[in-house]
PDB file of all heavy atoms in Angstrom:
ATOM      1  N   TYR A   7      40.637-139.898 -23.979  1.00 98.00           N
ATOM      2  CA  TYR A   7      40.585-139.663 -22.530  1.00 98.00           C
ATOM      3  C   TYR A   7      39.908-140.863 -21.870  1.00 98.00           C
ATOM      4  O   TYR A   7      38.901-141.375 -22.382  1.00 98.00           O
ATOM      5  CB  TYR A   7      39.812-138.379 -22.216  1.00 98.00           C
ATOM      6  CG  TYR A   7      40.521-137.129 -22.672  1.00 98.00           C
ATOM      7  CD1 TYR A   7      40.178-136.515 -23.875  1.00 98.00           C
ATOM      8  CD2 TYR A   7      41.557-136.585 -21.922  1.00 98.00           C
ATOM      9  CE1 TYR A   7      40.839-135.376 -24.309  1.00 98.00           C
ATOM     10  CE2 TYR A   7      42.231-135.446 -22.350  1.00 98.00           C
ATOM     11  CZ  TYR A   7      41.863-134.846 -23.541  1.00 98.00           C
ATOM     12  OH  TYR A   7      42.530-133.724 -23.972  1.00 98.00           O
ATOM     13  N   ALA A   8      40.460-141.322 -20.754  1.00 98.00           N
ATOM     14  CA  ALA A   8      39.923-142.496 -20.066  1.00 98.00           C
ATOM     15  C   ALA A   8      39.967-142.284 -18.565  1.00 98.00           C
ATOM     16  O   ALA A   8      40.853-141.606 -18.042  1.00 98.00           O
ATOM     17  CB  ALA A   8      40.718-143.745 -20.448  1.00 98.00           C
ATOM     18  N   ALA A   9      38.996-142.889 -17.873  1.00 97.00           N
ATOM     19  CA  ALA A   9      38.919-142.791 -16.418  1.00 97.00           C
ATOM     20  C   ALA A   9      38.927-144.188 -15.812  1.00 97.00           C
ATOM     21  O   ALA A   9      38.648-145.183 -16.487  1.00 97.00           O
ATOM     22  CB  ALA A   9      37.655-142.041 -16.000  1.00 97.00           C
ATOM     23  N   ASP A  10      39.213-144.255 -14.515  1.00 96.00           N
ATOM     24  CA  ASP A  10      39.262-145.539 -13.816  1.00 96.00           C
ATOM     25  C   ASP A  10      37.887-146.185 -13.689  1.00 96.00           C
ATOM     26  O   ASP A  10      37.785-147.368 -13.357  1.00 96.00           O
ATOM     27  CB  ASP A  10      39.862-145.353 -12.415  1.00 96.00           C
ATOM     28  CG  ASP A  10      41.341-144.971 -12.471  1.00 96.00           C
ATOM     29  OD1 ASP A  10      41.980-145.270 -13.497  1.00 96.00           O
ATOM     30  OD2 ASP A  10      41.838-144.379 -11.495  1.00 96.00           O
ATOM     31  N   ASN A  11      36.837-145.432 -13.951  1.00 96.00           N
ATOM     32  CA  ASN A  11      35.480-145.985 -13.850  1.00 96.00           C
ATOM     33  C   ASN A  11      35.023-146.707 -15.113  1.00 96.00           C
ATOM     34  O   ASN A  11      33.851-147.067 -15.253  1.00 96.00           O
ATOM     35  CB  ASN A  11      34.482-144.876 -13.498  1.00 96.00           C
ATOM     36  CG  ASN A  11      34.452-143.761 -14.547  1.00 96.00           C
ATOM     37  OD1 ASN A  11      35.120-143.852 -15.586  1.00 96.00           O
ATOM     38  ND2 ASN A  11      33.708-142.706 -14.271  1.00 96.00           N
ATOM     39  N   GLY A  12      35.948-146.886 -16.076  1.00 97.00           N
ATOM     40  CA  GLY A  12      35.612-147.637 -17.282  1.00 97.00           C
ATOM     41  C   GLY A  12      35.040-146.804 -18.407  1.00 97.00           C
ATOM     42  O   GLY A  12      34.620-147.359 -19.435  1.00 97.00           O
ATOM     43  N   LEU A  13      35.026-145.487 -18.282  1.00 98.00           N
ATOM     44  CA  LEU A  13      34.501-144.613 -19.329  1.00 98.00           C
ATOM     45  C   LEU A  13      35.635-144.066 -20.185  1.00 98.00           C
ATOM     46  O   LEU A  13      36.708-143.747 -19.690  1.00 98.00           O
ATOM     47  CB  LEU A  13      33.712-143.461 -18.710  1.00 98.00           C
ATOM     48  CG  LEU A  13      32.504-143.851 -17.855  1.00 98.00           C
ATOM     49  CD1 LEU A  13      31.826-142.603 -17.309  1.00 98.00           C
ATOM     50  CD2 LEU A  13      31.527-144.704 -18.642  1.00 98.00           C
ATOM     51  N   ILE A  14      35.379-143.972 -21.486  1.00 98.00           N
ATOM     52  CA  ILE A  14      36.370-143.490 -22.456  1.00 98.00           C
ATOM     53  C   ILE A  14      35.711-142.432 -23.338  1.00 98.00           C
ATOM     54  O   ILE A  14      34.538-142.573 -23.712  1.00 98.00           O
ATOM     55  CB  ILE A  14      36.898-144.640 -23.341  1.00 98.00           C
ATOM     56  CG1 ILE A  14      37.620-145.694 -22.491  1.00 98.00           C
ATOM     57  CG2 ILE A  14      37.830-144.115 -24.437  1.00 98.00           C
ATOM     58  CD1 ILE A  14      37.987-146.939 -23.271  1.00 98.00           C
ATOM     59  N   MET A  15      36.455-141.393 -23.682  1.00 98.00           N
ATOM     60  CA  MET A  15      35.982-140.409 -24.645  1.00 98.00           C
ATOM     61  C   MET A  15      37.015-140.247 -25.752  1.00 98.00           C
ATOM     62  O   MET A  15      38.168-139.887 -25.499  1.00 98.00           O
ATOM     63  CB  MET A  15      35.743-139.051 -23.977  1.00 98.00           C
ATOM     64  CG  MET A  15      35.222-137.987 -24.934  1.00 98.00           C
ATOM     65  SD  MET A  15      33.561-138.332 -25.574  1.00 98.00           S
ATOM     66  CE  MET A  15      32.575-137.836 -24.149  1.00 98.00           C
ATOM     67  N   LEU A  16      36.609-140.560 -26.970  1.00 98.00           N
ATOM     68  CA  LEU A  16      37.420-140.277 -28.157  1.00 98.00           C
ATOM     69  C   LEU A  16      37.006-138.908 -28.680  1.00 98.00           C
ATOM     70  O   LEU A  16      35.819-138.595 -28.750  1.00 98.00           O
ATOM     71  CB  LEU A  16      37.182-141.324 -29.250  1.00 98.00           C
ATOM     72  CG  LEU A  16      37.295-142.802 -28.873  1.00 98.00           C
ATOM     73  CD1 LEU A  16      37.003-143.671 -30.095  1.00 98.00           C
ATOM     74  CD2 LEU A  16      38.663-143.118 -28.305  1.00 98.00           C
ATOM     75  N   MET A  17      37.991-138.107 -29.092  1.00 98.00           N
ATOM     76  CA  MET A  17      37.690-136.761 -29.559  1.00 98.00           C
ATOM     77  C   MET A  17      38.534-136.420 -30.788  1.00 98.00           C
ATOM     78  O   MET A  17      39.692-136.817 -30.876  1.00 98.00           O
ATOM     79  CB  MET A  17      37.935-135.724 -28.456  1.00 98.00           C
ATOM     80  CG  MET A  17      37.167-135.986 -27.178  1.00 98.00           C
ATOM     81  SD  MET A  17      37.438-134.728 -25.903  1.00 98.00           S
ATOM     82  CE  MET A  17      36.484-133.383 -26.592  1.00 98.00           C
ATOM     83  N   ALA A  18      37.921-135.684 -31.702  1.00 98.00           N
ATOM     84  CA  ALA A  18      38.629-135.179 -32.878  1.00 98.00           C
ATOM     85  C   ALA A  18      38.373-133.682 -32.992  1.00 98.00           C
ATOM     86  O   ALA A  18      37.235-133.226 -32.824  1.00 98.00           O
ATOM     87  CB  ALA A  18      38.160-135.887 -34.137  1.00 98.00           C
ATOM     88  N   ARG A  19      39.420-132.932 -33.293  1.00 98.00           N
ATOM     89  CA  ARG A  19      39.301-131.481 -33.479  1.00 98.00           C
ATOM     90  C   ARG A  19      39.796-131.138 -34.879  1.00 98.00           C
ATOM     91  O   ARG A  19      40.887-131.544 -35.281  1.00 98.00           O
ATOM     92  CB  ARG A  19      40.119-130.749 -32.418  1.00 98.00           C
ATOM     93  CG  ARG A  19      40.099-129.238 -32.572  1.00 98.00           C
ATOM     94  CD  ARG A  19      40.615-128.530 -31.332  1.00 98.00           C
ATOM     95  NE  ARG A  19      42.014-128.820 -31.033  1.00 98.00           N
ATOM     96  CZ  ARG A  19      42.663-128.313 -29.979  1.00 98.00           C
ATOM     97  NH1 ARG A  19      42.021-127.541 -29.118  1.00 98.00           N
ATOM     98  NH2 ARG A  19      43.937-128.601 -29.777  1.00 98.00           N
ATOM     99  N   LEU A  20      39.005-130.364 -35.607  1.00 98.00           N
ATOM    100  CA  LEU A  20      39.356-130.018 -36.989  1.00 98.00           C
ATOM    101  C   LEU A  20      38.642-128.738 -37.393  1.00 98.00           C
ATOM    102  O   LEU A  20      37.699-128.287 -36.725  1.00 98.00           O
ATOM    103  CB  LEU A  20      38.988-131.146 -37.948  1.00 98.00           C
ATOM    104  CG  LEU A  20      37.499-131.513 -38.089  1.00 98.00           C
ATOM    105  CD1 LEU A  20      37.242-132.166 -39.452  1.00 98.00           C
ATOM    106  CD2 LEU A  20      37.042-132.470 -37.001  1.00 98.00           C
ATOM    107  N   ASP A  21      39.079-128.169 -38.493  1.00 97.00           N
ATOM    108  CA  ASP A  21      38.378-127.050 -39.115  1.00 97.00           C
ATOM    109  C   ASP A  21      37.289-127.643 -39.999  1.00 97.00           C
ATOM    110  O   ASP A  21      37.587-128.367 -40.957  1.00 97.00           O
ATOM    111  CB  ASP A  21      39.364-126.220 -39.943  1.00 97.00           C
ATOM    112  CG  ASP A  21      38.728-124.997 -40.603  1.00 97.00           C
ATOM    113  OD1 ASP A  21      37.484-124.874 -40.602  1.00 97.00           O
ATOM    114  OD2 ASP A  21      39.477-124.162 -41.147  1.00 97.00           O
ATOM    115  N   ASN A  22      36.033-127.338 -39.715  1.00 97.00           N
ATOM    116  CA  ASN A  22      34.943-127.909 -40.515  1.00 97.00           C
ATOM    117  C   ASN A  22      35.012-127.492 -41.979  1.00 97.00           C
ATOM    118  O   ASN A  22      34.488-128.187 -42.853  1.00 97.00           O
ATOM    119  CB  ASN A  22      33.579-127.526 -39.923  1.00 97.00           C
ATOM    120  CG  ASN A  22      33.369-126.029 -39.848  1.00 97.00           C
ATOM    121  OD1 ASN A  22      34.085-125.324 -39.142  1.00 97.00           O
ATOM    122  ND2 ASN A  22      32.381-125.536 -40.562  1.00 97.00           N
ATOM    123  N   LEU A  23      35.678-126.371 -42.273  1.00 95.00           N
ATOM    124  CA  LEU A  23      35.857-125.936 -43.660  1.00 95.00           C
ATOM    125  C   LEU A  23      37.220-126.335 -44.220  1.00 95.00           C
ATOM    126  O   LEU A  23      37.497-126.098 -45.392  1.00 95.00           O
ATOM    127  CB  LEU A  23      35.690-124.416 -43.770  1.00 95.00           C
ATOM    128  CG  LEU A  23      34.320-123.854 -43.389  1.00 95.00           C
ATOM    129  CD1 LEU A  23      34.292-122.351 -43.613  1.00 95.00           C
ATOM    130  CD2 LEU A  23      33.203-124.530 -44.177  1.00 95.00           C
ATOM    131  N   GLY A  24      38.081-126.919 -43.373  1.00 96.00           N
ATOM    132  CA  GLY A  24      39.407-127.366 -43.807  1.00 96.00           C
ATOM    133  C   GLY A  24      39.415-128.851 -44.059  1.00 96.00           C
ATOM    134  O   GLY A  24      38.944-129.318 -45.093  1.00 96.00           O
ATOM    135  N   LYS A  25      39.955-129.620 -43.097  1.00 97.00           N
ATOM    136  CA  LYS A  25      39.937-131.079 -43.224  1.00 97.00           C
ATOM    137  C   LYS A  25      38.509-131.604 -43.330  1.00 97.00           C
ATOM    138  O   LYS A  25      38.282-132.695 -43.861  1.00 97.00           O
ATOM    139  CB  LYS A  25      40.662-131.705 -42.028  1.00 97.00           C
ATOM    140  CG  LYS A  25      40.824-133.217 -42.095  1.00 97.00           C
ATOM    141  CD  LYS A  25      41.636-133.671 -43.282  1.00 97.00           C
ATOM    142  CE  LYS A  25      41.959-135.164 -43.192  1.00 97.00           C
ATOM    143  NZ  LYS A  25      42.474-135.717 -44.461  1.00 97.00           N
ATOM    144  N   GLY A  26      37.541-130.801 -42.864  1.00 96.00           N
ATOM    145  CA  GLY A  26      36.147-131.212 -42.959  1.00 96.00           C
ATOM    146  C   GLY A  26      35.487-130.888 -44.277  1.00 96.00           C
ATOM    147  O   GLY A  26      34.318-131.241 -44.480  1.00 96.00           O
ATOM    148  N   ALA A  27      36.179-130.233 -45.196  1.00 96.00           N
ATOM    149  CA  ALA A  27      35.551-129.872 -46.478  1.00 96.00           C
ATOM    150  C   ALA A  27      36.599-129.538 -47.533  1.00 96.00           C
ATOM    151  O   ALA A  27      37.111-130.415 -48.230  1.00 96.00           O
ATOM    152  CB  ALA A  27      34.575-128.712 -46.287  1.00 96.00           C
ATOM    153  N   SER A  28      36.963-128.254 -47.664  1.00 96.00           N
ATOM    154  CA  SER A  28      37.778-127.814 -48.794  1.00 96.00           C
ATOM    155  C   SER A  28      39.215-128.305 -48.718  1.00 96.00           C
ATOM    156  O   SER A  28      39.812-128.647 -49.748  1.00 96.00           O
ATOM    157  CB  SER A  28      37.758-126.283 -48.866  1.00 96.00           C
ATOM    158  OG  SER A  28      38.213-125.720 -47.654  1.00 96.00           O
ATOM    159  N   GLY A  29      39.796-128.332 -47.526  1.00 96.00           N
ATOM    160  CA  GLY A  29      41.157-128.851 -47.406  1.00 96.00           C
ATOM    161  C   GLY A  29      41.236-130.299 -47.823  1.00 96.00           C
ATOM    162  O   GLY A  29      42.161-130.707 -48.548  1.00 96.00           O
ATOM    163  N   ALA A  30      40.278-131.094 -47.377  1.00 97.00           N
ATOM    164  CA  ALA A  30      40.245-132.503 -47.763  1.00 97.00           C
ATOM    165  C   ALA A  30      40.081-132.658 -49.264  1.00 97.00           C
ATOM    166  O   ALA A  30      40.679-133.545 -49.888  1.00 97.00           O
ATOM    167  CB  ALA A  30      39.107-133.213 -47.033  1.00 97.00           C
ATOM    168  N   ALA A  31      39.276-131.791 -49.875  1.00 97.00           N
ATOM    169  CA  ALA A  31      39.066-131.863 -51.326  1.00 97.00           C
ATOM    170  C   ALA A  31      40.367-131.606 -52.079  1.00 97.00           C
ATOM    171  O   ALA A  31      40.699-132.309 -53.043  1.00 97.00           O
ATOM    172  CB  ALA A  31      37.994-130.859 -51.741  1.00 97.00           C
ATOM    173  N   VAL A  32      41.124-130.602 -51.650  1.00 98.00           N
ATOM    174  CA  VAL A  32      42.404-130.302 -52.298  1.00 98.00           C
ATOM    175  C   VAL A  32      43.400-131.432 -52.041  1.00 98.00           C
ATOM    176  O   VAL A  32      44.167-131.818 -52.945  1.00 98.00           O
ATOM    177  CB  VAL A  32      42.949-128.952 -51.807  1.00 98.00           C
ATOM    178  CG1 VAL A  32      44.357-128.707 -52.341  1.00 98.00           C
ATOM    179  CG2 VAL A  32      42.022-127.819 -52.233  1.00 98.00           C
ATOM    180  N   GLN A  33      43.415-131.974 -50.844  1.00 98.00           N
ATOM    181  CA  GLN A  33      44.286-133.114 -50.548  1.00 98.00           C
ATOM    182  C   GLN A  33      43.979-134.284 -51.478  1.00 98.00           C
ATOM    183  O   GLN A  33      44.886-134.930 -52.025  1.00 98.00           O
ATOM    184  CB  GLN A  33      44.119-133.545 -49.090  1.00 98.00           C
ATOM    185  CG  GLN A  33      45.032-134.712 -48.687  1.00 98.00           C
ATOM    186  CD  GLN A  33      44.777-135.181 -47.258  1.00 98.00           C
ATOM    187  OE1 GLN A  33      43.971-134.610 -46.527  1.00 98.00           O
ATOM    188  NE2 GLN A  33      45.467-136.238 -46.858  1.00 98.00           N
ATOM    189  N   ASN A  34      42.694-134.566 -51.688  1.00 98.00           N
ATOM    190  CA  ASN A  34      42.311-135.653 -52.590  1.00 98.00           C
ATOM    191  C   ASN A  34      42.713-135.358 -54.027  1.00 98.00           C
ATOM    192  O   ASN A  34      43.141-136.253 -54.764  1.00 98.00           O
ATOM    193  CB  ASN A  34      40.800-135.899 -52.496  1.00 98.00           C
ATOM    194  CG  ASN A  34      40.401-136.630 -51.229  1.00 98.00           C
ATOM    195  OD1 ASN A  34      41.089-137.538 -50.789  1.00 98.00           O
ATOM    196  ND2 ASN A  34      39.277-136.239 -50.642  1.00 98.00           N
ATOM    197  N   MET A  35      42.579-134.103 -54.444  1.00 98.00           N
ATOM    198  CA  MET A  35      43.018-133.723 -55.781  1.00 98.00           C
ATOM    199  C   MET A  35      44.518-133.946 -55.936  1.00 98.00           C
ATOM    200  O   MET A  35      44.980-134.525 -56.936  1.00 98.00           O
ATOM    201  CB  MET A  35      42.682-132.253 -56.050  1.00 98.00           C
ATOM    202  CG  MET A  35      43.132-131.761 -57.426  1.00 98.00           C
ATOM    203  SD  MET A  35      43.307-129.961 -57.561  1.00 98.00           S
ATOM    204  CE  MET A  35      44.841-129.711 -56.630  1.00 98.00           C
ATOM    205  N   ASN A  36      45.296-133.481 -54.964  1.00 97.00           N
ATOM    206  CA  ASN A  36      46.747-133.657 -55.029  1.00 97.00           C
ATOM    207  C   ASN A  36      47.113-135.131 -55.163  1.00 97.00           C
ATOM    208  O   ASN A  36      47.975-135.509 -55.967  1.00 97.00           O
ATOM    209  CB  ASN A  36      47.397-133.086 -53.767  1.00 97.00           C
ATOM    210  CG  ASN A  36      47.399-131.569 -53.723  1.00 97.00           C
ATOM    211  OD1 ASN A  36      47.305-130.911 -54.758  1.00 97.00           O
ATOM    212  ND2 ASN A  36      47.514-131.009 -52.530  1.00 97.00           N
ATOM    213  N   LEU A  37      46.474-135.953 -54.368  1.00 97.00           N
ATOM    214  CA  LEU A  37      46.749-137.386 -54.387  1.00 97.00           C
ATOM    215  C   LEU A  37      46.419-137.983 -55.745  1.00 97.00           C
ATOM    216  O   LEU A  37      47.206-138.740 -56.324  1.00 97.00           O
ATOM    217  CB  LEU A  37      45.950-138.075 -53.281  1.00 97.00           C
ATOM    218  CG  LEU A  37      46.076-139.591 -53.153  1.00 97.00           C
ATOM    219  CD1 LEU A  37      47.517-139.995 -52.861  1.00 97.00           C
ATOM    220  CD2 LEU A  37      45.156-140.103 -52.047  1.00 97.00           C
ATOM    221  N   ARG A  38      45.254-137.646 -56.269  1.00 97.00           N
ATOM    222  CA  ARG A  38      44.822-138.214 -57.560  1.00 97.00           C
ATOM    223  C   ARG A  38      45.729-137.776 -58.708  1.00 97.00           C
ATOM    224  O   ARG A  38      45.974-138.547 -59.648  1.00 97.00           O
ATOM    225  CB  ARG A  38      43.375-137.782 -57.845  1.00 97.00           C
ATOM    226  CG  ARG A  38      42.832-138.256 -59.198  1.00 97.00           C
ATOM    227  CD  ARG A  38      42.861-139.762 -59.313  1.00 97.00           C
ATOM    228  NE  ARG A  38      42.419-140.203 -60.631  1.00 97.00           N
ATOM    229  CZ  ARG A  38      43.194-140.288 -61.696  1.00 97.00           C
ATOM    230  NH1 ARG A  38      44.496-139.924 -61.607  1.00 97.00           N
ATOM    231  NH2 ARG A  38      42.715-140.713 -62.849  1.00 97.00           N
ATOM    232  N   LEU A  39      46.267-136.549 -58.632  1.00 97.00           N
ATOM    233  CA  LEU A  39      47.122-136.032 -59.705  1.00 97.00           C
ATOM    234  C   LEU A  39      48.588-136.410 -59.539  1.00 97.00           C
ATOM    235  O   LEU A  39      49.427-136.026 -60.344  1.00 97.00           O
ATOM    236  CB  LEU A  39      46.994-134.520 -59.780  1.00 97.00           C
ATOM    237  CG  LEU A  39      45.608-133.970 -60.184  1.00 97.00           C
ATOM    238  CD1 LEU A  39      45.605-132.451 -60.155  1.00 97.00           C
ATOM    239  CD2 LEU A  39      45.186-134.489 -61.553  1.00 97.00           C
ATOM    240  N   GLY A  40      48.911-137.166 -58.483  1.00 96.00           N
ATOM    241  CA  GLY A  40      50.286-137.579 -58.271  1.00 96.00           C
ATOM    242  C   GLY A  40      51.163-136.508 -57.684  1.00 96.00           C
ATOM    243  O   GLY A  40      52.396-136.583 -57.784  1.00 96.00           O
ATOM    244  N   LEU A  41      50.564-135.509 -57.046  1.00 96.00           N
ATOM    245  CA  LEU A  41      51.306-134.418 -56.425  1.00 96.00           C
ATOM    246  C   LEU A  41      51.535-134.724 -54.947  1.00 96.00           C
ATOM    247  O   LEU A  41      50.898-135.610 -54.378  1.00 96.00           O
ATOM    248  CB  LEU A  41      50.535-133.114 -56.568  1.00 96.00           C
ATOM    249  CG  LEU A  41      50.116-132.715 -57.986  1.00 96.00           C
ATOM    250  CD1 LEU A  41      49.222-131.478 -57.948  1.00 96.00           C
ATOM    251  CD2 LEU A  41      51.336-132.449 -58.871  1.00 96.00           C
ATOM    252  N   ASP A  42      52.414-133.955 -54.324  1.00 95.00           N
ATOM    253  CA  ASP A  42      52.548-134.039 -52.887  1.00 95.00           C
ATOM    254  C   ASP A  42      51.214-133.663 -52.249  1.00 95.00           C
ATOM    255  O   ASP A  42      50.639-132.613 -52.577  1.00 95.00           O
ATOM    256  CB  ASP A  42      53.652-133.097 -52.424  1.00 95.00           C
ATOM    257  CG  ASP A  42      53.970-133.229 -50.940  1.00 95.00           C
ATOM    258  OD1 ASP A  42      53.035-133.112 -50.110  1.00 95.00           O
ATOM    259  OD2 ASP A  42      55.137-133.457 -50.600  1.00 95.00           O
ATOM    260  N   GLU A  43      50.720-134.486 -51.320  1.00 95.00           N
ATOM    261  CA  GLU A  43      49.392-134.273 -50.753  1.00 95.00           C
ATOM    262  C   GLU A  43      49.279-132.928 -50.036  1.00 95.00           C
ATOM    263  O   GLU A  43      48.173-132.380 -49.927  1.00 95.00           O
ATOM    264  CB  GLU A  43      49.045-135.390 -49.777  1.00 95.00           C
ATOM    265  CG  GLU A  43      48.588-136.657 -50.436  1.00 95.00           C
ATOM    266  CD  GLU A  43      48.247-137.754 -49.429  1.00 95.00           C
ATOM    267  OE1 GLU A  43      47.521-137.466 -48.449  1.00 95.00           O
ATOM    268  OE2 GLU A  43      48.701-138.889 -49.619  1.00 95.00           O
ATOM    269  N   SER A  44      50.377-132.405 -49.551  1.00 95.00           N
ATOM    270  CA  SER A  44      50.317-131.177 -48.760  1.00 95.00           C
ATOM    271  C   SER A  44      50.411-129.907 -49.598  1.00 95.00           C
ATOM    272  O   SER A  44      50.337-128.804 -49.048  1.00 95.00           O
ATOM    273  CB  SER A  44      51.439-131.173 -47.721  1.00 95.00           C
ATOM    274  OG  SER A  44      52.711-131.198 -48.366  1.00 95.00           O
ATOM    275  N   THR A  45      50.540-130.027 -50.924  1.00 95.00           N
ATOM    276  CA  THR A  45      50.684-128.858 -51.767  1.00 95.00           C
ATOM    277  C   THR A  45      49.466-127.939 -51.635  1.00 95.00           C
ATOM    278  O   THR A  45      48.333-128.369 -51.785  1.00 95.00           O
ATOM    279  CB  THR A  45      50.846-129.248 -53.244  1.00 95.00           C
ATOM    280  OG1 THR A  45      51.948-130.163 -53.378  1.00 95.00           O
ATOM    281  CG2 THR A  45      51.101-128.025 -54.116  1.00 95.00           C
TER     282      THR A  45
END
């Protein structure tokens, strides 16, 4: 988000227990084992 006054806000939305923890862990496991990352 940006305004004409020169201010910018970057924002991220996620599940703190998903991409922020357990989901990311499973994604990393899938990647390391050569599986589809989304499995």
Side-chain angles (χ1 to χ4, degrees):
Y7 292 98
D10 293 337
N11 60 4
L13 300 180
I14 298 172
M15 181 66 78
L16 309 179
M17 304 181 74
R19 178 166 63 181
L20 63 155
D21 182 349
N22 59 297
L23 298 183
K25 185 61 171 167
S28 57
V32 173
Q33 182 184 356
N34 285 321
M35 179 201 74
N36 287 338
L37 179 61
R38 177 59 183 85
L39 295 177
L41 306 174
D42 186 306
E43 281 180 48
S44 62
T45 305

